[in-house]
Amino acid sequence: MQQRVIISQDIEHDLAQAIAETENDRVFVLTDDITQECCLPKVASLFAKHNATTITIRHNDTNKTLATLADVWTALQRGGATRHSLLVNLGGGMVTDLGGFAAATFKRGINFINIPTTLLAMVDAAVGGKTGINFGGLKNEVGAFANARYVIVNTCFLDTLDTANLCSGYAEMLKHSLISNAQMWAEHVNFDILQPDLAELQRMVAASIAVKEHIVADDPHEHGIRKALNFGHTIGHALEEFSMQQPGGAVVSARLLPLARARTAPKNTLLHGYAVAFGLIGELYISARKAGFPTARLHQTARFIRENYGAVAFTCDDYPTLLNLMRHDKKNTSDTINFTLLHDIGDIRINQTATDEEIREALDFIREGY
């Protein structure tokens, strides 16, 4: 089933139409405790018309677990959900990932609609049909491919978002430009994400989503070119998981993060997009070393990331742990760490490998070289 992405100018009208065009005997709304407070009021009157049942889970990625998934299944069951019911996932990537997986598995699959409320979810998690939960200390270890009937994207929700979370989502947009075209990349590295024009950002979001949609349509189950969307994520996921495992945290001098940490995640863990931003630096370094990526563009991208995302703290003593986390990445074959690399912007090389020594050099470059 193909999903339809709506770039919305009128959230209530577009959501009402999507619900009307999607089979439902009962409507359920999944939020987390932050989106329930900040975002649900924007569409609450429409859900009231449908007598919708709200299911609220705790925010942040550490709650994207089997236990939380079971709580959602239980709430659906107690609410009388059937195979003909509809789940609307209103929230960031954690909500759309977990809610999509809950819908894909409850009664062997019910319809769901994603309304992403963070920039990260708009351009990444809510689009493309990937759902899942974290398991065994690893991100998105268990999940399924399942398309939402509709993904409704409206930047009206971004006025509820702090600057750090805007930056987090913007890292995925920067990735899309790197795997797409130089004009988009130049626009992204010259955009003021710290004081964004939201109308201009909505146009850029639509273009970014179009990049992902085009790739997903060509390769829905990640057998080929869809692996390009993993650029920056092999190292990025390892840094994110590492930060979640460290009692003292892994973040240092990322000047925007304290605000995000206070609101959306456990102290000292990296937001996903920040981890991806640092991962982009490392994988661009490997791309320059092994695939001929232009060093001037490497340094310009790295400079933009340093200016807007700060730095991440780890030492060479942490390299074995980070390498081990990379080896558990789902993209790997056997014990080989797989990468997507770039020869240039938009010139993609999938199914590439790097030696441990080359990865250590990339980690050095993240820490010291840009």
Side-chain angles (χ1 to χ4, degrees):
M1 179 185 68
Q2 292 293 316
Q3 68 181 5
R4 181 181 171 193
V5 178
I6 299 172
I7 305 301
S8 171
Q9 302 299 325
D10 185 335
I11 185 62
E12 283 204 2
H13 172 272
D14 293 327
L15 177 56
Q17 185 172 349
I19 292 175
E21 294 177 0
T22 304
E23 179 186 31
N24 67 86
D25 58 1
R26 291 180 177 85
V27 177
F28 295 80
V29 185
L30 180 67
T31 69
D32 65 30
D33 45 12
I34 288 178
T35 53
Q36 182 186 35
E37 176 186 351
C38 298
C39 301
L40 184 59
K42 293 178 181 287
V43 285
S45 61
L46 178 61
F47 286 129
K49 293 177 183 177
H50 290 274
N51 197 28
T53 300
T54 301
I55 303 169
T56 303
I57 58 180
R58 295 177 64 187
H59 69 274
N60 85 51
D61 206 65
T62 59
N63 291 304
K64 199 168 79 172
T65 63
L66 186 59
T68 304
L69 179 65
D71 288 341
V72 176
W73 285 331
T74 299
L76 289 169
Q77 189 177 61
R78 289 177 177 171
T82 73
R83 293 183 66 183
H84 307 286
S85 296
L86 169 66
L87 179 64
V88 180
N89 299 313
L90 178 71
M94 181 269 201
V95 170
T96 60
D97 277 0
L98 187 144
F101 191 34
T105 48
F106 186 78
K107 303 286 187 183
R108 295 194 176 97
I110 63 173
N111 286 322
F112 67 101
I113 293 170
N114 284 338
I115 306 177
T117 59
T118 66
L119 184 58
L120 180 62
M122 290 176 185
V123 299
D124 184 46
V127 178
K130 284 186 176 180
T131 71
I133 59 171
N134 303 334
F135 186 76
L138 299 174
K139 279 187 62 65
N140 302 322
E141 182 77 350
V142 179
F145 287 98
N147 280 330
R149 287 293 299 271
Y150 292 91
V151 179
I152 305 174
V153 177
N154 191 307
T155 53
C156 71
F157 294 107
L158 296 185
D159 65 9
T160 70
L161 206 61
D162 55 62
T163 302
N165 277 282
L166 279 172
C167 287
S168 181
Y170 197 75
E172 291 285 356
M173 294 177 63
L174 182 58
K175 177 202 72 177
H176 287 160
S177 69
L178 284 164
I179 64 175
S180 179
N181 67 79
Q183 182 179 349
M184 182 183 288
W185 168 80
E187 181 178 48
H188 284 180
V189 295
N190 287 289
F191 185 71
D192 186 357
I193 189 57
L194 303 185
Q195 295 181 314
D197 178 331
L198 290 184
E200 181 69 5
L201 186 59
Q202 172 131 335
R203 180 192 63 78
M204 295 167 66
V205 165
S208 190
I209 290 171
V211 171
K212 183 168 185 178
E213 281 192 295
H214 176 73
I215 290 173
V216 170
D218 284 347
D219 181 20
H221 294 112
E222 202 172 283
H223 298 305
I225 193 60
R226 182 167 178 162
K227 295 176 183 178
L229 295 171
N230 295 321
F231 185 61
H233 283 61
T234 299
I235 292 175
H237 274 164
L239 289 171
E240 186 176 6
E241 290 160 2
F242 174 77
S243 76
M244 293 169 70
Q245 294 174 8
Q246 302 309 302
V251 177
V252 64
S253 67
R255 58 192 173 94
L256 299 172
L257 280 176
L259 175 61
R261 296 280 56 79
R263 180 174 172 187
T264 62
K267 184 179 180 182
N268 295 323
T269 60
L270 279 171
L271 286 169
H272 173 76
Y274 278 73
V276 168
F278 301 130
L280 289 175
I281 292 171
E283 293 181 31
L284 283 174
Y285 175 87
I286 297 173
S287 293
R289 195 182 190 285
K290 295 180 66 71
F293 187 83
T295 56
R297 287 177 166 174
L298 160 65
H299 286 285
Q300 187 173 352
T301 307
R303 184 165 56 251
F304 174 86
I305 291 170
R306 180 161 185 102
E307 289 173 353
N308 290 282
Y309 294 79
V312 59
F314 57 92
T315 72
C316 56
D317 291 337
D318 300 314
Y319 289 5
T321 299
L322 290 166
L323 285 163
N324 186 55
L325 287 168
M326 290 179 217
R327 289 191 177 93
H328 282 90
D329 193 284
K330 297 181 296 299
K331 300 180 293 295
N332 294 337
T333 302
S334 186
D335 198 38
T336 302
I337 301 174
N338 289 334
F339 289 91
T340 291
L341 301 178
L342 301 179
H343 174 64
D344 203 341
I345 293 172
D347 192 345
I348 300 161
R349 303 286 191 269
I350 63 171
N351 299 325
Q352 304 297 298
T353 62
T355 66
D356 285 5
E357 183 56 34
E358 290 165 341
I359 297 170
R360 289 189 185 98
E361 288 179 14
L363 294 173
D364 285 340
F365 187 69
I366 293 170
R367 289 172 53 226
E368 303 168 357
Y370 71 101

